[in-house]
Amino acid sequence: MLWTVTLLASTLTIAPREPALVPRPVESRFTGGTPFVVTDQTRLISDCAATKHLKAMFQKAAGFNLEGSGRKGTIVFRHKKDTARLRPDWYWLDVRPGQVLVEYSSESGAFYAVQTLRQLLPEQIESPKPVKGVTWSLPACSVSDGPRFGWRGMMLDVSRHFFPVSFIKRQLDTMALLKLNVFHWHLVDDGGWRIEIKKYPKLTSTGAWRVDTGEVWPGGEWNFGNIQICGDQAPKKYGGFYTQEDIKEIVRYAADRHITVVPEIELPGHSLGAVVSYPELKCLNVGPPAKPGQSLSNVYCAGNDAAITFLEDVLTETLALFPSKFVHIGADEVEKKHWRACPRCQARMKANGLKDENELQSWVVRHFDTFLSDRGRRLVGWDEILEGGLAPGATVMSWRGVQGGIDAAKQGRDVVMSPTSHCYFDYSYQAIPTQHVYAYDPVPAGLTPEQAARVLGGQYNVWAEWIATEARNEELQYPRALAMAEVLWSPKEGRKWSEFSPRMTSFLPRLDALGLNVHVSEPEVDATAVFFSGRTTVKAKGGGPGRTLRYTMDGSVPNGKSPVYRNGVTVTRPTTVTFAFVNKRGIAGPVSRVECRNPRNKDLGPLTPGLRADTYLLNGEPSRLPDLKTMKASGTSVTSVFDQAVRPRPAQFAVRWSGILRVPETGAYNFYLTSDDGSRLWLDDALVVDNDGPHGAVEKSGRAWLEKGDYRVDVRWYDQGGANSFKFEMAAPSRPKAPVPETWLFRTAGA
Ligand code: ACM
Ligand code: ZN
């Protein structure tokens, strides 16, 4: 990425010479010739509606709307004849001195050309109010472009946590920028019913609200094991819903951006919001609720004609709001045990010759497949709809891996790919890194060309059980959405992470300008702990455009006012240096901490070989290392090995090794903890390795700069049950990674 700095009159303008386009166009050539500069003299000559977005953009950010004389230059949009059938959604764009010429095959193609022009302009074009001193320069280029897939989607769960209309519009804007075109709106689930249905007002007066139990996780997320739908009369409540007017507004807003809104009305499971509002929709023989308001069943009774009629009524109102050809009916994770225990469901199975509950599920799905087909629509469902036989008109959304997609394509059915492995953006960046998303190919291996043609495309999903805030929601989407947009739009040929990664980084200031909260990685630091005498310099690096590396020395998270990092932070006394990349709005990404300490164990008295190992019995299944210092040990021994031998026999336990680590030379040491479940390592009171939390045997490492001498070492490990394992290794300046030598481990007198 090259940036040119141009001095014009007295204003300094920075325009990217070869702007970052995401998704990558099929073909683009930057000639390096004279750019086209858009001014208030520029005239737009257009035969399409999509260019209203171009005018609005300039009106907002530049204060003119392309209605100049045109003497110094024109932007021409014209329909290219006979292309719509051959190349739907395509555009051809040429930027030359004096003229920008766009030809397009369809309105959508013209809209995508507008998005490309937008990305060719400096990111200030995203500004909500006029900005001065920017040269609206379009680099000389020629682009020929159109999508690989027709379904380029994003699914948003608004049931588990509710997100307002303003949030949804902001995501639609960003989808448009990235040429995504399907907004799959997960409107109902166990967390609450979110769509107004006039015939059944209790769905939103009761079903959209839940008791605020106060039982939330550290990020403010709900414990979804304990949802109580309660109605809006309860004193403490969480919830919300979209009125039919809100929905019409969203659908219109999306259509204006060539985005189809596919509503999802989950059936026959994941429907707590509905069955608590109208309990007669439930199965018979469902036990009493464990808590007031709570339901033990979230499925509709498939044997109850009233439940089928209810769903038809709901779908009738839904169809009136959503013009989308496709309508999603969910059908994942249905708790069939309720059907097994229900005489009405069993009677339905008998009457229709259905051999098991999977076939009963298929019976329900077939019913709604016919219902939707009769009304000119097409049913989409999660891949469970394959079990018990696929309904004739159904399209399969493959989520439990890719097999559902493969099976459906082999049956000649349309599929949309959204496997958990690559497309679940509610998973952390550690679990699904952006690079991993970028490596995804929606066409599974092993399909014939005819079968591959059934893959309509794919989408990423944002499930919201663990997403309590708008900021977190956006952080999980961006920048992974950029990678997915490219996977779904751009040709597979020529796709290279090493090329995409810097282009993506260059794109981030545009997302900042749009006010989105974008995930950035934490700054790289040389060591997580530094033991020093006198003074030391702490260094950090990383980052990209639009991000400033800042730091604090008091343990707080940096903000827009914190000192800017230059060449290193000089430290003269024990402290914690906290680094983060901070965007222009003062919002910090994840932090890196460096604990700076003075060595202080000069006079420990006589030392004896071996560490002290204390063992603890735990109650329950803690999700973190308990505070062992406040607990009574069940046993104590002396050892110089860190392994499972010391562990007590019961399933839940913790071990703490404590004593002195003597390091023989000054330099950088790496420490490695592998544990199932959590473990942590401190030197003196500096946390060097943090591998806490319930998990399988994973390794985490930390790095400390140590002066030759003695350090209090404290290693703790816990296991909440099941498999357990533990390993502690270290690498010294002149010794490779290995278990800690016994001769380096001691304890003080009396320990
Ligand atoms: C799903 O994630 N249950 C479709
Ligand atoms: Zn039933």
Side-chain angles (χ1 to χ4, degrees), residues 332-333 382 399 424 463:
D332 58 318
E333 300 177 318
W382 299 109
W399 73 278
Y424 272 46
W463 297 101

Side-chain angles (χ1 to χ4, degrees), residues 238-253:
Y238 172 91
F241 65 93
Y242 308 98
T243 64
Q244 294 203 349
E245 287 310 307
D246 289 339
I247 288 169
K248 286 181 202 157
E249 167 75 11
I250 292 281
V251 168
R252 210 167 27 232
Y253 194 86

Side-chain angles (χ1 to χ4, degrees), residues 155-226:
M155 189 219 76
L156 183 67
D157 168 11
V158 293
S159 172
R160 276 60 171 270
H161 283 95
F162 179 69
F163 295 92
V165 169
S166 56
F167 177 83
I168 291 174
K169 285 187 173 173
R170 199 157 70 236
Q171 311 323 306
L172 289 168
D173 281 335
T174 317
M175 287 176 70
L177 173 68
L178 299 174
K179 304 186 174 96
L180 295 169
N181 69 344
V182 178
F183 174 51
H184 168 181
W185 203 0
H186 188 78
L187 283 161
V188 308
D189 208 305
D190 301 328
W193 185 280
R194 306 285 176 224
I195 167 174
E196 180 188 27
I197 300 294
K198 305 247 191 220
K199 191 161 184 184
Y200 299 101
K202 281 199 279 181
L203 286 173
T204 42
S205 66
T206 297
W209 307 93
R210 58 190 192 235
V211 177
D212 187 348
T213 56
E215 193 186 340
V216 292
W217 298 80
E221 308 90 351
W222 284 70
N223 174 359
F224 280 86
N226 187 20

Side-chain angles (χ1 to χ4, degrees), residues 20-37:
L21 299 179
V22 177
R24 175 171 58 89
V26 175
E27 280 172 34
S28 63
R29 213 158 40 81
F30 288 85
T31 58
T34 312
F36 181 98
V37 178

Side-chain angles (χ1 to χ4, degrees), residues 282-284 301-303 338-339 342 344-345:
K282 273 193 293 195
C283 279
L284 301 175
C301 179
H338 301 295
W339 288 353
C342 172
R344 279 194 310 230
C345 286

